[in-house]
Amino acid sequence: MRSDTPEERSHILLIAGDRAIRRRPMRARVTLAPSDNLAALLAVPTAVLMGSTLPCDTVHLDGIHDPAAVLLRLHAAAAASGPLLLYVSGRLTADRRTRHLHLALNGTTPVNASRHGMPWAWLRAALQHRPAASVTVLADLAADRHAWPVLRADPGLLSAGLPAYGVVTPPGWPATYTRTFVQQLRAAGPDQPSIARLHALAVAATELPPRTLVLPAAQRLSAQPDQQPRPIGPPDRLSLSPAHQQPEENAQAIRAERTQPSALLPVQGPQPPPAAAPAPPAPEQPWQQDPRPYIWQTAQAGRHSEAAAMATAWEQQALRAHGVSSAEATQWAEIRADLARLAGNYLLATQLWASAARTRLAHQAPDAPEVHTATQGAAFCWQHIKAPSEARDSGPELIALLREVPGLDPRYLPWAERRLEYLQRSAPL
């Protein structure tokens, strides 16, 4: 992407498809606005966006209806002599008959996607003859309810054969990846990292919805902590923290966690107050060689044991370098707690969050935001423990913790006490 041969010209092609809209009775809400994303990218100087001083041709397609016009621009971009950046944003849909994925253009529906949408396969075909090192595909997409099952069945479908980076959010969730990517690009300063690094930083800093697909597939760390010690910075959130959403979205996030029977409350006892699965606070600034985006991608790819092993290795380094009660080690314990939650191990997640809260209480004020976050995480995960015996055994510790942390939602403590009482009454004699 950074060759400066005089006769070359770089090329940027920005494509905005149709908006993603969540429709509900009496109200509709835009969850992805591709036109706004294009405007954000167009405000970035081309030399900064491309990381090159080559002359650059920039073409943006916004509000287009005709897929043939998009194909024409794709072929023109593929013929560029220099590096090519292709950005695609919009709603992803699937043809009902063939199940092939299409970028929805204006007027595209699942019924007419084969005629009025842009087949994703066109990107692969247009770029197949270019050297992979000369092309970068950046995608900020929202799948509709027809495309999402196709992607869940084959998460690597979009990035197969393409040097693609980006995210695909599930139906109905807000998408903010491009805005965060631009922020990271501007914050990088003159010593810009590669697109791959910017993508990793953007993924780490974005509040991605649960089950978001990250392109490309998860990567392994290039070196283990023991082989190449690196500074431990404040951990980023590994997944969306519904604590920062509005109450309605908060409840939706909790329902999203309950997609499997094991995530339901084990008994029909007292119901909990609205709770959220918290995550460690975002860092004030990105730092180089950050393992957290790779750990997050690994967990999202379903390789939970691998993700947990990487986090444990980094936690061990923090323990050796800073001590058992250090903020660095506690932050990695919180990451392990969130990984356990993602893997469905709510007992371990509860124990890790409670332990982190205890450690923070020993060094921070009871009303510190980090203490509240860890305590709220323990309460959230405890409500999802399936086995009554496990929930019953871990309940007293949680209740004791809730009594020591003021300022939380006042419903937490009485809810936990009622649920533990119910579990104890229901215990077999």
Side-chain angles (χ1 to χ4, degrees):
M1 292 290 292
R2 298 181 181 269
S3 173
D4 290 341
T5 306
E7 64 270 20
E8 290 183 335
R9 293 186 67 87
S10 58
H11 194 97
I12 299 175
L13 176 59
L14 310 175
I15 303 174
D18 194 18
R19 297 181 302 170
I21 300 176
R22 181 183 182 188
R23 302 186 185 279
R24 301 191 65 189
M26 308 298 293
R27 185 177 63 176
R29 179 167 61 94
V30 175
T31 59
L32 178 64
S35 298
D36 294 346
N37 288 343
L38 257 62
L41 286 171
L42 287 170
V44 179
T46 56
V48 175
L49 194 57
M50 295 298 291
S52 169
T53 57
L54 283 174
C56 183
D57 301 310
T58 302
V59 176
H60 65 281
L61 304 179
D62 191 359
I64 197 164
H65 295 76
D66 185 7
V70 180
L71 181 60
L72 181 65
R73 291 297 186 180
L74 275 176
H75 285 307
S81 58
L84 168 62
L85 174 63
L86 173 59
Y87 172 82
V88 184
S89 181
R91 175 171 58 90
L92 203 62
T93 190
D95 176 60
R96 285 183 174 178
R97 184 175 60 85
T98 65
R99 311 301 293 164
H100 292 163
L101 295 174
H102 293 71
L103 177 69
L105 305 178
N106 281 0
T108 303
T109 67
V111 175
N112 64 22
S114 61
R115 301 186 306 276
H116 296 289
M118 185 202 78
W120 191 259
W122 282 5
L123 299 184
R124 192 174 297 108
L127 302 175
Q128 63 180 342
H129 300 300
R130 286 189 62 105
S134 70
V135 181
T136 299
V137 178
L138 198 61
D140 189 355
L141 302 165
D144 66 13
R145 61 187 181 89
H146 303 283
W148 189 245
V150 178
L151 289 171
R152 294 298 294 173
D154 187 359
L157 188 60
L158 289 179
S159 57
L162 288 173
Y165 301 92
V167 299
V168 186
T169 55
W173 287 91
T176 58
Y177 168 81
T178 296
R179 183 175 60 196
T180 308
F181 182 89
V182 171
Q183 291 171 351
Q184 297 294 338
L185 190 63
R186 293 185 180 279
D191 300 325
Q192 287 188 32
S194 65
I195 290 289
R197 171 58 58 187
L198 287 168
H199 164 67
L201 292 171
V203 166
T206 304
E207 291 189 348
L208 295 176
R211 302 178 297 160
T212 294
L213 297 181
V214 178
L215 310 176
Q219 306 174 31
R220 294 177 180 268
L221 288 172
S222 58
Q224 292 298 321
D226 290 340
Q227 298 169 320
Q228 183 179 340
R230 301 170 183 171
I232 298 295
D236 215 319
R237 52 174 48 89
L238 289 173
S239 62
L240 177 67
S241 175
H244 300 285
Q245 299 172 345
Q246 296 300 318
E248 177 187 357
E249 294 174 331
N250 188 11
Q252 293 159 0
I254 294 172
R255 286 195 293 272
E257 287 288 343
R258 299 178 177 178
T259 55
Q260 300 296 330
S262 60
L264 295 172
L265 286 172
V267 294
Q268 299 301 317
Q271 296 300 303
E284 295 180 359
Q285 59 185 11
W287 49 287
Q288 296 296 319
Q289 299 184 350
D290 189 341
R292 292 163 295 180
Y294 302 104
I295 296 173
W296 184 89
Q297 291 181 36
T298 302
Q300 288 292 306
R303 304 206 305 274
H304 298 292
S305 297
E306 183 181 341
M310 286 191 286
T312 300
W314 283 89
E315 183 187 27
Q316 290 300 313
Q317 176 183 311
L319 289 170
R320 290 192 296 269
H322 304 282
V324 175
S325 300
S326 64
E328 292 82 0
T330 304
Q331 289 160 355
W332 278 106
E334 290 169 342
I335 288 179
R336 288 181 56 219
D338 211 30
L339 289 172
R341 177 186 65 83
L342 290 172
N345 190 344
Y346 290 104
L347 176 61
L348 177 60
T350 300
Q351 294 169 341
L352 288 170
W353 276 120
S355 176
R358 286 289 181 190
T359 302
R360 290 193 176 280
L361 270 173
H363 302 279
Q364 296 178 257
D367 59 350
E370 294 85 359
V371 175
H372 282 193
T373 296
T375 306
Q376 189 177 1
F380 174 85
C381 294
W382 184 65
Q383 70 168 307
H384 287 294
I385 296 176
K386 182 180 180 180
S389 60
E390 293 179 349
R392 189 165 50 246
D393 292 342
S394 54
E397 181 183 0
L398 173 66
I399 290 173
L401 178 62
L402 290 171
R403 287 172 177 163
E404 295 182 36
V405 180
L408 289 176
D409 188 320
R411 294 173 293 177
Y412 273 97
L413 180 57
W415 158 73
E417 291 173 335
R418 288 195 304 270
R419 184 174 185 235
L420 179 59
E421 181 183 356
Y422 184 92
L423 289 166
Q424 291 171 338
R425 289 201 313 268
S426 304
L429 298 177

